[in-house]
Amino acid sequence: MTKINYFFYLSLILIAGGVPQTANSELWEGFPQPTQDSWFYENGSPDPAKVELGKVLFFDKILSGNKNISCATCHHPFTGTSDGLSLPVGEGGSGVSVARNTGEGKHTIHERVPRNSPAIFNLGAKEYKVMFHDGRVATDPSQPSGFLSPAGSNLPQGLDNPLAAQAMFPVTSATEMAGQKGENPVANAAAQNNLGGPNGVWALLAQRLQSNPAYVEMFKAAYPEITSVGQLTYVHAANAIAAFQAKAWRSDNSPFDEYLRGDTEAMSMRAYRGMELFYKNGLCSNCHSGTFQTDHSFHSIAMPQIGPGKGDGIDGLEDFGRERVTKNPADRFKFRTPSLRNVALTGPWGHSGAYNTLEGVIRQHIDPAHSIHHYDGNQTVLPSRNIETTTDFDVQIDYHKREQILSSATPLNVSLSDEEIKSLVSFLHALTDNLSIDIRKDVPQRVPSRLSVFD
């Protein structure tokens, strides 16, 4: 933007109500401050050896029951640390990221993962205390491990942060990484809910790592306290995975960040206008607050429910969201407010991946009744060779179930023009860190197990 155009535009928007002129502006309640290094990492910047170990673990299929899927399969750098699909294709599928399919014949997956694969950017920041769409992993000093989790008192001690606690659980899910009962010992342990026992999921995976000499050397380099193979645990692996994610996918150099640090020409004119709409009267910032645009709380916007569900409701096809954790009916259909950092890179959006455009998500926010009752299922991004199913849209086509979801939402009671929605979308794009657009460097060429990284 030229200075002449910038000041011409600035004069217009100041007449219309103004935009913050510096990172210290207090013109709008909730307008954030620029990030600081002290906001990241629980115990200082992670040790490089620990980060490198976490990197190969993240991409290594050795951590799955059937050795056919890795963390990166559904959280890939090629698709903004998500997978580009509405609902992930977990254990048993073929391919990586958006190219993944559901398999065929006897190798067809049991079911798709019932919730959208969330992006991982900035989860190493200290303010992140809650993980997963429903917050089932969260910091809790009253727990022996320091964390609330589905494992309860069986969650081991020694986890570095909530991100490490989160890394303990995908490997325990039959649909995500463990496999089905009868397929392998890890899957059998998961089916028996034996997570932390002597022959539990975490112990069995630790034994795999202990039997790999290359991994043993990497663990010893990252953790000097490990002096014998038997001391290596899955907690060490989870901490390393978290260290890699926190270090590699910190993202705080977007045009918006540059603006917060004082560069008033960092964003386009339309993005400035979108920022004004975003923060003025708390239109978006009541929930998408703070520097990372999240209040870390739980809300319902009546997002359409697609996919196999989480086993809730009479037919098991619904997903009650936060209520599954709190057991409070008032939390039904509420989900965690996602961060909007790099949001333009991480679609489809919503806990069920219902929308493949940011405009669609914005319209869902401002008019949930119209959006849920006139939802177009073609907005979903389903995998190739999709499994035969008649249940993907069973909840969505049921008027009474849609009404139940809608009753949980608090409408914004605002009307936006098409031009204003375009401005909001432009601001959301201004939250993209240019360094996050191409993160192919984070993909290792090989891993210690020698299993394939790219299929």
Side-chain angles (χ1 to χ4, degrees), residues 10 99 245 337 387 448:
L10 184 58
Q245 294 176 94
T337 306
I387 55 177

Side-chain angles (χ1 to χ4, degrees), residues 86-88 111-118 132-136 176 298-336 350-354 372 391-396 401-402 404-406 408:
S86 291
L87 297 172
E111 67 174 3
R112 289 192 309 281
V113 180
R115 289 178 181 163
N116 180 259
S117 177
F132 293 111
H133 287 292
D134 57 12
R136 62 186 181 274
E176 295 182 45
F298 302 86
H299 306 278
S300 170
I301 62 168
M303 184 65 69
Q305 172 61 47
I306 64 169
K310 290 287 285 186
D312 300 324
I314 295 175
D315 51 15
L317 295 175
E318 295 182 86
D319 185 343
F320 287 172
R322 182 61 174 165
E323 182 189 1
R324 295 176 57 82
V325 177
T326 66
K327 311 304 179 186
N328 183 352
D331 288 331
R332 184 169 297 184
F333 304 126
K334 292 182 179 180
F335 294 88
R336 186 186 63 173
H351 74 275
S352 61
I372 195 170
T391 60
D392 274 355
F393 298 95
D394 279 12
V395 172
Q396 180 55 28
K401 289 180 178 178
R402 294 201 307 268
Q404 290 172 1
I405 295 174
L406 182 60
S408 69

